[in-house]
Amino acid sequence: MAAQIAREWSGIQQFPVATQNKLHELLGKLKLENVSTLTILLMGKGGVGKSSTVNSILGERVATVNAFQSEGLRPMMCSRTRAGFTLNIIDTPGLVEGGYVNEQAIEIIKRFLLNKIIDVLLYVDRLDAYRVDSLDKQIIKAITDTFGKRIWQRSLVVLTHAQLSPPDGLNYDEFFNKRSETLLKCIRSGARINKQEFEDFPIHVALVENSGRCNTNADGEKILPGGTAWIPQLVEVITTVIANGSKPIMVDQKLIEGPNPNERGKFFIPLILAFQFVILDAAFFLPWVEAVDTKGNAGVLVRVEPRHIAPTQLRI
Amino acid sequence: MNCVLDGLLVYIWAELRNWASIVAKLNSAYYFILVPIRHGTLSTLFPTTRRSPSSPEQNPRRLRSTSPTISLAFLGFDSLGFYRATFIRSSIASGNRNLIQNVMAAQVPREWTGIQQFPVATQNKLHEILGKLKLENASTLTILLMGKGGVGKSSTLNSILGERVATVSAFQSEGLRPMMCSRTRAGFTLNIIDTPGLVEGGYVNEQAIEIIKRFLLNKTIDVLLYVDRLDAYRVDNLDKQVIKAITDTFGKRIWQRSIVVLTHAQLSPPDGLSYDEFFTRRSETLLKCIRMGARIKMQEFEGFILDSPIPVALVENSGRCNTNSDGEKILPSGIAWIPNLVEVVTTVSAKGSKPITVDQKLIEGPNPNERGKFFIPLILAFQYFFIIKGIQRTIKRDIETEKRPAWETWASQKADRF
């Protein structure tokens, strides 16, 4: 994981011409807005297709994809330049291990991301999973706790295995809509995004099909069952998310460590001290009384403190 | 008091029965008597109304009332003197809202009409397999489906029976209710039990296991189908926990009578692997997980041998399954999967190991109080003969050999003088 000089994005030559043209167009638009670098972070459960998506976008086999073994606990960042534009894609290990969220993986990811700026988060999941349960909510909570709620303003959901045959009784679009709705509802409740924020920054859903058996259209581009070429569409959605007005997430030490628990409620400390002083040293509020002091002088104003006065000495 | 009351009621009922059958014979009419009876006397009065294990779609949520229930019995007598009893069980206990109970008379399982829907070739093969089973005097077969949620258990049930018995919803978890479906065909009864998913949000759902155990009480399981998806790419600790839970519930022996069923069989394998390679790797990983989770060792001296490996069957439940020229649903390898599955099931059930009877003992597990009971008298005997006797002997010896202090001897001398 040494710092690498960003390599030339040679994989883009492998795409069909139509895809290359669209990608160049999108990158050109980004550069017009003075954005010359883009950092994408991929997160999600294990075995959903994060590394495959990285390989598909870059057009080369950067990440090892193994159908049966969990990937190692090592995040990986791949940088490619093209015509002055730098694209950084960060691939992370799966967050779920055997039924629970893998805290060690989260720690490793945090340490890896120190002092990097994240432009877009891609939350990856499978399109052909039929249940969304509390485990997904725990993952989303873990992501929210790591980066803060603002990450969801700059994120999109990626559903892999897009070239699926939907189950009986549902056509492809209905299935896709229900799946995205369920997943977005889970994100909203797990990250506690309220309705207003969700309407201001809606989370887009993109479809991806990474296998070699993906259907192609006349131009040779890989297409979804709907007919759209998914690689340019994905990059387009990413550029839309960047331009929605939110700020990129800067991962600094403060963000990683989280709020300092010692700072909490510090404001109240002087107030409590003052209150205690008043209660315990209540002499402040006792009445003044004229009395005769020990030397015999009269008219001395003395505070009456019950504990200082023996009954025989009281002369009022 | 209770037994006196029961005895009295039985006597009264016997008399009433005789009277009513005689009257009915004379009048050739159908008589009804409506009488309240106590809850506990039902089984003594009506021995024919056993709860048959093959009644279809039993609702396992039995009403439990802690206070006595009053049952109203309709006794019907026809002209031949046979009586049929139907019950309306009402309860005076608070909290029971459902007043009508199932009909307690023995029910006949339904005809397997769904088999007509299969293409002719499949029907022929199924009839052949069922015929072979009946030759071996097995006229009933109970299959239990278990696995995680959302893998296709209810869909498999629908596919085998050929009708939509279980509700399948792509996005909602099924309810926590096991369901048993019985179908007969040419004298052969097939019972298939569908269970809720064992995994809920990352952990094994103990409540579902309890419900399944209670549902399976007094049933005999011939074959267990462990269902999972073919297109899942990871086998992790969660699968091992599911398998451990199944082993803890039924005992290790269940795996001698189990089959692994992989759904979504019509998948395109990931790049770089052919379908057969993918299937082999997936089954190997899953079988290894089962061996580890159930702690089945391959050595003989462990006392438990898995003599043959657990078979793996492929299943494709969607309507888009490819069909061959006969119209049968086929796997990518070309074999029709419905007859294949039933054949594997019959092979496993004929293997020679005993089917698993789910009785109270199995459900509760071994009584921890029984453990090491054999040693208690031995330890007591040891303690008595060696320890207690030894201490007594030592004490007596000490008493005899001790030197008496001076004041004692002086006191006894003084006492002697008087």
Side-chain angles (χ1 to χ4, degrees):
Chain A
M1 278 183 297
Q4 296 165 2
I5 309 168
R7 298 215 298 241
E8 179 68 21
W9 191 353
S10 46
I12 206 175
Q13 317 279 14
Q14 301 205 3
F15 295 149
V17 181
T19 306
Q20 287 189 40
N21 292 342
K22 289 185 200 160
L23 286 177
H24 282 138
E25 204 183 302
L26 290 165
L27 297 184
K29 263 193 258 177
L30 275 178
K31 281 182 63 188
L32 281 179
E33 297 166 20
N34 281 339
V35 176
S36 66
T37 170
L38 184 62
T39 308
I40 303 175
L41 173 65
L42 285 137
M43 289 185 103
K45 293 194 255 195
V48 295
K50 300 184 288 297
S51 305
S52 306
T53 312
V54 174
N55 292 347
S56 297
I57 295 178
L58 294 184
E60 42 178 309
R61 289 183 56 145
V62 192
T64 42
V65 173
N66 191 336
F68 292 102
Q69 270 175 328
S70 317
E71 61 269 300
L73 275 180
R74 195 181 300 188
M76 188 170 61
M77 173 148 118
C78 313
S79 307
R80 300 283 180 268
T81 51
R82 181 79 177 180
F85 183 85
T86 310
L87 179 69
N88 307 318
I89 305 186
I90 305 175
D91 184 22
T92 60
L95 290 178
V96 161
E97 172 86 28
Y100 57 90
V101 173
N102 192 350
E103 298 285 338
Q104 190 191 8
I106 295 181
E107 288 299 313
I108 293 176
I109 294 171
K110 276 198 232 183
R111 262 183 279 136
F112 183 81
L113 290 176
L114 192 56
N115 294 329
K116 291 188 173 57
I117 300 179
I118 298 173
D119 290 308
V120 184
L121 167 77
L122 299 190
Y123 179 75
V124 188
D125 205 343
R126 285 176 71 152
L127 178 61
D128 57 355
Y130 298 113
R131 300 278 184 267
V132 171
D133 52 14
S134 70
L135 191 59
D136 300 277
K137 215 194 278 198
Q138 284 176 39
I139 299 171
I140 290 162
K141 246 212 261 189
I143 296 178
T144 315
D145 290 339
T146 309
F147 297 108
K149 229 159 83 159
R150 278 200 313 124
I151 188 93
W152 297 108
Q153 293 171 352
R154 287 207 144 224
S155 60
L156 63 119
V157 173
V158 171
L159 295 176
T160 55
H161 294 85
Q163 190 168 286
L164 81 92
S165 327
D168 295 338
L170 287 170
N171 70 5
Y172 185 84
D173 291 317
E174 280 173 26
F175 181 76
F176 171 56
N177 285 337
K178 275 206 79 168
R179 173 94 177 109
S180 358
E181 262 177 48
T182 325
L183 202 47
L184 288 178
K185 201 163 77 159
C186 185
I187 292 178
R188 274 182 58 187
S189 67
R192 289 204 216 100
I193 303 175
N194 60 24
K195 206 162 154 222
Q196 187 56 37
E197 286 171 5
F198 196 70
E199 278 165 26
D200 292 336
F201 299 102
I203 301 179
H204 297 268
V205 182
L207 287 168
V208 150
E209 175 55 54
N210 290 315
S211 86
R213 240 164 278 93
C214 186
N215 293 332
T216 51
N217 62 3
D219 293 327
E221 305 179 281
K222 286 191 175 183
I223 54 168
L224 303 171
T228 45
W230 67 263
I231 302 180
Q233 190 190 46
L234 179 64
V235 180
E236 195 179 324
V237 175
I238 292 176
T239 53
T240 318
V241 169
I242 295 174
N244 71 0
S246 50
K247 294 196 305 177
I249 313 282
M250 170 74 189
V251 181
D252 50 3
Q253 195 68 21
K254 185 159 166 278
L255 188 79
I256 286 183
E257 285 174 356
N260 188 357
N262 294 324
E263 298 286 326
R264 201 173 162 179
K266 244 186 179 178
F267 170 72
F268 291 106
I269 294 179
L271 300 183
I272 293 176
L273 281 177
F275 182 69
Q276 283 178 339
F277 178 75
V278 161
I279 292 283
L280 290 176
D281 209 359
F284 206 68
F285 292 117
L286 288 176
W288 292 97
V289 164
E290 273 195 24
V292 180
D293 72 357
T294 47
K295 291 208 188 103
N297 303 330
V300 173
L301 284 175
V302 169
R303 276 226 201 91
V304 179
E305 290 187 54
R307 54 190 160 102
H308 291 321
I309 298 175
T312 51
Q313 289 172 5
L314 194 62
R315 279 182 217 129
I316 296 179
Chain B
M1 177 55 201
N2 284 343
C3 54
V4 169
L5 197 59
D6 285 346
L8 200 60
L9 279 173
V10 169
Y11 174 73
I12 292 174
W13 274 118
E15 292 299 295
L16 269 177
R17 219 166 58 191
N18 289 337
W19 168 80
S21 63
I22 292 170
V23 171
K25 268 195 203 127
L26 293 175
N27 292 347
S28 66
Y30 205 75
Y31 268 78
F32 285 98
I33 302 173
L34 186 66
V35 188
I37 58 174
R38 265 184 76 248
H39 173 69
T41 60
L42 279 176
S43 51
T44 52
L45 291 178
F46 302 99
T48 58
T49 56
R50 256 173 325 181
R51 193 185 296 251
S52 80
S54 57
S55 52
E57 283 99 350
Q58 271 181 354
N59 189 340
R61 253 187 301 154
R62 265 182 283 151
L63 307 166
R64 288 191 195 265
S65 54
T66 49
S67 40
T69 56
I70 293 181
S71 301
L72 300 178
F74 272 136
L75 273 193
F77 297 97
D78 62 11
S79 54
L80 294 176
F82 295 122
Y83 66 92
R84 246 169 274 169
T86 53
F87 288 90
I88 298 176
R89 182 177 254 165
S90 71
S91 170
I92 55 175
S94 61
N96 278 338
R97 270 170 256 149
N98 197 350
L99 293 184
I100 308 294
Q101 183 69 295
N102 291 331
V103 176
M104 293 277 273
Q107 291 174 358
V108 178
R110 299 216 295 241
E111 179 71 20
W112 190 355
T113 47
I115 207 176
Q116 317 278 16
Q117 298 203 3
F118 296 148
V120 181
T122 304
Q123 288 190 37
N124 291 342
K125 288 184 197 156
L126 285 176
H127 281 138
E128 203 183 305
I129 298 168
L130 296 182
K132 264 192 257 173
L133 267 180
K134 281 184 61 187
L135 282 180
E136 297 165 17
N137 281 342
S139 65
T140 168
L141 188 65
T142 309
I143 302 176
L144 174 64
L145 287 148
M146 287 185 103
K148 294 194 262 194
V151 294
K153 300 184 289 299
S154 303
S155 306
T156 312
L157 175 66
N158 291 348
S159 298
I160 295 178
L161 292 184
E163 38 178 311
R164 289 183 55 146
V165 192
T167 42
V168 173
S169 168
F171 293 103
Q172 269 174 329
S173 320
E174 61 270 300
L176 273 181
R177 191 182 301 193
M179 187 167 65
M180 173 147 117
C181 308
S182 307
R183 299 285 182 267
T184 50
R185 184 78 176 180
F188 182 83
T189 310
L190 180 67
N191 308 317
I192 309 186
I193 305 174
D194 184 22
T195 59
L198 292 178
V199 161
E200 171 88 30
Y203 56 92
V204 173
N205 191 350
E206 297 286 337
Q207 190 192 8
I209 294 181
E210 288 299 314
I211 293 176
I212 295 172
K213 277 199 230 180
R214 262 186 277 137
F215 183 79
L216 290 177
L217 191 57
N218 293 330
K219 290 186 175 55
T220 306
I221 298 172
D222 291 307
V223 182
L224 167 78
L225 299 189
Y226 180 75
V227 188
D228 205 344
R229 286 176 71 151
L230 178 62
D231 57 356
Y233 298 112
R234 299 278 184 266
V235 172
D236 54 12
N237 197 28
L238 193 59
D239 299 279
K240 215 195 285 191
Q241 286 178 33
V242 172
I243 289 161
K244 224 184 320 159
I246 296 179
T247 314
D248 288 340
T249 308
F250 296 109
K252 261 197 222 181
R253 277 199 315 126
I254 188 93
W255 297 108
Q256 280 176 328
R257 291 201 136 233
S258 57
I259 303 172
V260 172
V261 171
L262 295 175
T263 54
H264 294 86
Q266 191 166 284
L267 79 92
S268 326
D271 296 338
L273 285 171
S274 75
Y275 184 85
D276 291 319
E277 277 175 30
F278 181 76
F279 169 57
T280 317
R281 292 274 305 265
R282 172 95 178 111
S283 358
E284 265 177 33
T285 325
L286 201 48
L287 289 177
K288 196 164 84 161
C289 186
I290 292 178
R291 271 208 300 275
M292 286 202 303
R295 281 197 228 107
I296 299 175
K297 306 230 176 34
M298 300 298 259
Q299 293 92 342
E300 286 189 39
F301 59 81
E302 286 291 329
F304 177 80
I305 314 164
L306 199 63
D307 42 7
S308 54
I310 301 175
V312 181
L314 286 168
V315 150
E316 174 55 54
N317 291 314
S318 85
R320 242 164 277 93
C321 187
N322 291 332
T323 51
N324 61 4
S325 49
D326 291 328
E328 304 181 281
K329 287 188 172 183
I330 55 168
L331 304 171
S333 52
I335 40 176
W337 67 264
I338 301 180
N340 183 41
L341 179 64
V342 180
E343 198 177 320
V344 176
V345 167
T346 54
T347 317
V348 167
S349 68
K351 250 207 286 199
S353 52
K354 291 192 310 163
I356 314 282
T357 309
V358 181
D359 51 2
Q360 195 68 20
K361 185 157 167 282
L362 188 80
I363 284 182
E364 284 174 357
N367 188 355
N369 293 325
E370 299 286 325
R371 201 172 159 178
K373 244 186 179 177
F374 171 71
F375 292 105
I376 293 177
L378 299 182
I379 292 175
L380 282 176
F382 176 75
Q383 281 178 340
Y384 181 72
F385 286 113
F386 290 99
I387 298 177
I388 294 180
K389 288 274 182 188
I391 293 175
Q392 281 175 348
R393 257 184 271 128
T394 320
I395 291 175
K396 282 201 195 115
R397 210 175 344 119
D398 281 347
I399 292 176
E400 284 160 18
T401 59
E402 73 172 332
K403 238 166 70 92
R404 293 178 80 184
W407 61 267
E408 240 186 62
T409 48
W410 178 83
S412 63
Q413 280 170 7
K414 239 188 145 181
D416 288 343
R417 248 181 269 147
F418 290 101

